Amino acid sequence: MTNSEQSPNQQLKQNNKTPDGGSSPDPRLRFGPLDVFIMGLLFFSLINFANFGQSSSPEVPYSQFKQQLREGNIASVVIRGDRITGNFESSVNDAIAFTTTFPPLEDRDLFPLLEEQDVEVVVRSDEQPTWVLILINLLPWMLIIGLFLMASRALRGKAGGGLPGGGMFSFTRSKARLSQKEDIKVSYDDIAGLSHAKQDLGEIIDFLKHPEKFRAIGAHIPKGILMIGPPGTGKTLLAKATAFEAGVPFFSITGSEFVEMFVGVGASRVRDMFTEARKVAPALIFIDEIDSVGRARSNIGIGNDEREQTLNQILAEMDGFNADEAVVVLAATNRPDILDTALTRPGRFDRKVVLDLPQREARLDILKVHSRKVPMAEDVDLDQIAAGTVGFSGADLANLINEAALLAARDGNTTVGNSHLERARDKVVLGEKRESILSTAEKQRTAYHEAGHALTAYHMPHADALRKVSIIPRGMALGYTEQTPKEDKTSYGQHYLEDRIAIMLGGRSAEKLVYDEVSSGAANDLQQATRLARHMVTEWGMNEKLGALSFEHPEQSYPNQEFPLHKDYSEHTAEMIDEEVRKLVSENEARALATLREHRQQLDQIAAALLEKETISDTDIEALLGPKTKASA
Ligand code: ATP
């Protein structure tokens, strides 16, 4: 989510400008009277602790002291216990004062000598003055109480009733990053597509720009808007651009940044963020990944206290807004299904803006936006790239352009060509190319495996068109067969899905046909085919025997749910589901096998072409087998 466009965010700490652009002292660095008192106490205690009983006069040997006394160079002495401090008549080694210690044996000569030399003598009791003794006894307690006061203040947080100023402990401070309007460099012009979302947020922009207009007429503006969409569809970008269009400060934070190990810290951070936002209102707060705090609360289990308190605080703050406070909260999630219903109640996040994966037209626009600053060669066909990037999010497309630019720079080119974009696309979709680690026999088996997928796809009537087949290992795969739909699809017909299962199992079927055995290389194909078949049977009502019922397994749809709900069907039905899934998979495997057996010669042709070229395109396949005649769904 974070990329260069979002990075100019600055920590509030570092960028504490007033809304009019001026600077004000950072409130985090102000110390309240209690802070000063505590710091003074600690300082005093430490100094006393370190210095107590120490004299600043240099220590001299007793013999040297006696020598100076005999020479008449001692002006005065103070005797306390076995310690003697005093002053010289004239300085010795640049010192005018001294300290020395009585030897353990009694020195009977000392007092007569002092008298003889006419030295001023003061004898003091060995005992410390009472106030010093009290202080010594109290020191450790003072230290403990001082530290305790500071820690408890830090936990309570300023807005939780503490004194102004946050003190030295700032971990209850909100971690929200504040971007002033002049720091936000993203406008609605930089966002391609998403016209519905932009339209929905238009009213918010208007409100943030002219809150008084709305207030005058008594209109209620939504306090919170929930942006829902898969990762990378531009939720953060849109929130930021909304703040830019409205010309207001932008606070951004992710849900997980609130929650810490200590209960109460998250709630403090929420309070702090809202307080800061109110100070600079009108303002926009953006909470990314709200699901990490806004998950449905459960009655069971322990360990959710911190999350719940944080969520409660967010709700309380949102309830607490009054009409004069032009603070709008945008929150983003890609898991709306797990959100606590309290969040979506009226007066909270009651408006929803849905951001879908971009369709072909929008993909083209996003590619255009991101290629603005990248010099493109003449041969670049962005429309073709848009057609071949079904399922890509805005972030994937931005990444694709960047990868292509990197490849072009690595090749020493000054412009990005179509081949760079194609290579970048393969890298984004399939992962980085790997050095071939396959033996000749394994390579041949892989060629047949991929040829099996490709040939089944070629012959299945409802399959998507073939785009590319390769036996170059990429990411985790040893080879790949790529198909692209003619148009973006939002729903899939039953025949199309059955053909997909057959194609997924086409690789394994080819191995069976050619080698009379299967290999472990088809594990992923099996996984995908089984999952698809299960969806068809349990969720999409595509099974005669089970009928038009949904048997969605709760754990399936809420994988992060801490406490899975009970499945609401019997063991007998569960067995039937398993049976029907198995039937669906094996029937389509049989179809794939039959197709390959019927066109065995074509299978050999494709495998041979793959072994020769490693990667073949749709045009190569058409040259080998002729154009596909059966209508594609
Ligand atoms: P996440 O759910 O992972 O937080 P997100 O939905 O917040 O993702 P963003 O972080 O806003 O996605 O998008 C990432 C990047 O993708 C953007 O910075 C931008 O470069 C690009 N992008 C996404 N959608 C668009 C779009 N509609 N137009 C232009 N660029 C886009």
Side-chain angles (χ1 to χ4, degrees):
M1 177 212 60
T2 37
N3 75 347
S4 55
E5 283 166 35
Q6 290 155 335
S7 59
N9 278 348
Q10 287 136 308
Q11 281 283 339
L12 188 57
K13 216 185 267 179
Q14 295 157 357
N15 185 19
N16 191 44
K17 285 183 188 162
T18 51
D20 56 2
S23 294
S24 69
D26 190 332
R28 281 147 212 256
L29 297 178
R30 282 201 305 256
F31 297 118
L34 186 58
D35 289 317
V36 175
F37 172 72
I38 293 170
M39 281 191 290
L41 200 66
L42 286 177
F43 185 71
F44 175 76
S45 306
L46 287 172
I47 294 289
N48 267 288
F49 212 68
N51 282 343
F52 185 74
Q54 283 185 16
S55 163
S56 54
S57 329
E59 180 92 21
V60 297
Y62 187 72
S63 55
Q64 193 184 341
F65 157 69
K66 280 290 281 291
Q67 179 66 28
Q68 292 294 326
L69 183 60
R70 275 188 217 103
E71 287 171 11
N73 193 28
I74 302 291
S76 61
V77 290
V78 176
I79 301 173
R80 177 188 284 157
D82 64 349
R83 304 283 291 164
I84 303 175
T85 51
N87 294 315
F88 296 119
E89 286 283 355
S90 50
S91 62
V92 175
N93 297 334
D94 291 338
I96 52 156
F98 67 89
T99 308
T100 191
T101 310
F102 268 125
L105 298 170
E106 199 179 345
D107 181 358
R108 290 175 188 274
D109 297 344
L110 181 65
F111 279 92
L113 199 56
L114 286 168
E115 259 180 37
E116 187 185 311
Q117 295 292 347
D118 204 14
V119 175
E120 187 190 324
V121 178
V122 177
V123 179
R124 291 222 172 113
S125 152
D126 193 17
E127 293 201 350
Q128 306 290 354
T130 323
W131 70 271
V132 175
L133 289 176
I134 293 175
L135 201 63
I136 291 172
N137 284 314
L138 285 182
L139 264 180
W141 291 108
M142 283 173 158
L143 273 169
I144 292 168
I145 293 170
L147 286 171
F148 175 76
L149 277 175
M150 282 168 82
S152 64
R153 286 197 60 226
L155 275 172
R156 258 185 297 130
K158 180 188 89 180
L163 290 165
M168 288 167 286
F169 287 68
S170 61
F171 68 101
T172 57
R173 290 292 183 185
S174 138
K175 288 186 168 179
R177 289 160 292 275
L178 168 63
S179 305
Q180 297 295 347
K181 55 193 174 220
E182 55 278 0
D183 298 324
I184 308 172
K185 304 277 189 297
V186 190
S187 75
Y188 272 14
D189 282 347
D190 300 310
I191 303 179
L194 302 183
S195 47
H196 283 299
K198 286 185 197 169
Q199 213 172 322
D200 288 350
L201 291 169
E203 189 186 1
I204 301 298
I205 296 177
D206 207 14
F207 169 67
L208 289 169
K209 267 185 174 164
H210 313 287
E212 63 295 333
K213 191 173 87 184
F214 287 79
R215 254 176 238 144
I217 204 164
H220 288 286
I221 272 291
K223 294 171 180 175
I225 293 136
L226 190 62
M227 295 194 287
I228 301 168
T233 41
K235 299 182 287 296
T236 312
L237 193 68
L238 191 63
K240 216 171 182 188
T242 305
F244 175 85
E245 297 292 338
V248 296
F250 177 68
F251 289 80
S252 79
I253 192 163
T254 48
S256 54
E257 280 176 284
F258 285 122
V259 185
E260 287 276 350
M261 198 167 57
F262 303 111
V263 174
V265 173
S268 268
R269 287 184 177 163
V270 170
R271 274 195 298 268
D272 189 51
M273 180 178 74
F274 277 88
T275 312
E276 296 296 334
R278 283 191 188 106
K279 275 190 211 158
V280 294
L284 193 106
I285 293 177
F286 173 60
I287 308 176
D288 203 359
E289 296 166 21
I290 184 107
D291 40 286
S292 55
V293 278
R295 242 191 236 190
R297 288 169 282 194
S298 59
N299 309 328
I300 343 163
I302 45 168
N304 290 322
D305 287 6
E306 169 61 350
R307 202 161 46 76
E308 281 182 18
Q309 280 200 18
T310 309
L311 173 61
N312 286 341
Q313 193 60 42
I314 294 177
L315 299 177
E317 293 288 343
M318 291 182 72
D319 285 342
F321 282 173
N322 58 44
D324 294 341
E325 288 163 346
V327 175
V328 173
V329 187
L330 290 187
T333 181
N334 44 36
R335 293 297 312 272
D337 49 336
I338 59 166
L339 285 187
D340 198 306
T341 45
L343 266 175
T344 45
R345 236 173 255 154
R348 289 157 181 181
F349 293 99
D350 48 0
R351 290 257 182 115
K352 294 186 188 68
V353 173
V354 178
L355 285 79
D356 280 323
L357 285 174
Q359 299 282 301
R360 181 170 172 167
E361 195 83 353
R363 287 199 298 275
L364 178 61
D365 290 342
I366 296 175
L367 287 169
K368 281 182 185 160
V369 164
H370 288 278
S371 54
R372 272 187 212 155
K373 289 185 193 138
V374 180
M376 292 283 164
E378 289 279 298
D379 69 335
V380 166
D381 184 353
L382 288 183
D383 193 34
Q384 185 207 335
I385 302 290
T389 44
V390 178
F392 272 47
S393 67
D396 293 333
L397 294 167
N399 186 22
L400 186 146
I401 296 281
N402 189 47
E403 284 291 341
L406 289 174
L407 286 173
R410 217 178 291 162
D411 289 355
N413 295 32
T414 49
T415 53
V416 173
N418 217 39
S419 69
H420 299 125
L421 287 164
E422 282 287 345
R423 274 159 62 197
R425 196 193 72 93
D426 288 351
K427 192 173 160 193
V428 174
V429 178
L430 306 157
E432 194 78 76
K433 264 188 199 174
R434 276 194 290 136
E435 274 303 305
S436 183
I437 30 106
L438 301 183
S439 66
T440 316
E442 279 173 327
K443 214 167 172 178
Q444 196 179 41
R445 195 187 264 259
T446 309
Y448 269 106
H449 182 101
E450 295 308 327
H453 285 307
L455 195 62
T456 330
Y458 181 81
H459 286 290
M460 289 292 146
H462 304 95
D464 291 325
L466 279 166
R467 183 185 169 96
K468 202 186 269 183
V469 189
S470 174
I471 54 166
I472 297 175
R474 268 179 188 277
M476 297 298 288
L478 295 179
Y480 58 91
T481 299
E482 214 193 333
Q483 297 167 262
T484 38
K486 278 207 195 96
E487 288 158 10
D488 289 0
K489 289 188 170 127
T490 42
S491 77
Y492 303 93
Q494 185 175 349
H495 296 313
Y496 172 86
L497 295 170
E498 284 167 356
D499 281 1
R500 274 206 72 77
I501 297 180
I503 297 162
M504 284 169 185
L505 298 172
R508 182 184 138 94
S509 304
E511 288 186 53
K512 236 187 204 172
L513 190 65
V514 177
Y515 298 97
D516 203 20
E517 64 160 5
V518 289
S519 72
S520 60
N524 191 256
D525 296 337
L526 292 183
Q527 223 174 46
Q528 287 190 24
T530 315
R531 195 177 304 148
L532 181 55
R534 190 165 280 276
H535 280 306
M536 290 172 70
V537 172
T538 60
E539 285 175 53
W540 302 330
M542 292 179 179
N543 183 276
E544 289 287 314
K545 215 162 161 188
L546 286 153
L549 290 179
S550 169
F551 302 99
E552 198 181 356
H553 198 295
E555 278 168 82
Q556 238 166 266
S557 43
Y558 305 106
N560 295 333
Q561 192 90 355
E562 282 157 44
F563 305 100
L565 311 170
H566 294 291
K567 58 180 185 209
D568 51 6
Y569 47 85
S570 67
E571 276 311 309
H572 174 65
T573 309
E575 275 171 28
M576 250 164 76
I577 290 173
D578 289 343
E579 186 51 41
E580 289 305 299
V581 169
R582 184 174 298 123
K583 213 167 106 195
L584 185 57
V585 172
S586 50
E587 274 173 9
N588 284 296
E589 188 189 18
R591 275 175 70 214
L593 195 61
T595 308
L596 298 178
R597 194 168 276 135
E598 188 185 338
H599 303 283
R600 170 66 205 251
Q601 207 189 340
Q602 290 180 338
L603 183 70
D604 293 335
Q605 275 177 297
I606 301 177
L610 277 173
L611 282 170
E612 189 198 336
K613 293 188 175 177
E614 294 200 320
T615 302
I616 55 176
S617 67
D618 49 348
T619 32
D620 295 325
I621 294 169
E622 274 194 13
L624 276 177
L625 313 180
K628 184 174 173 171
T629 46
K630 285 168 199 161
S632 191

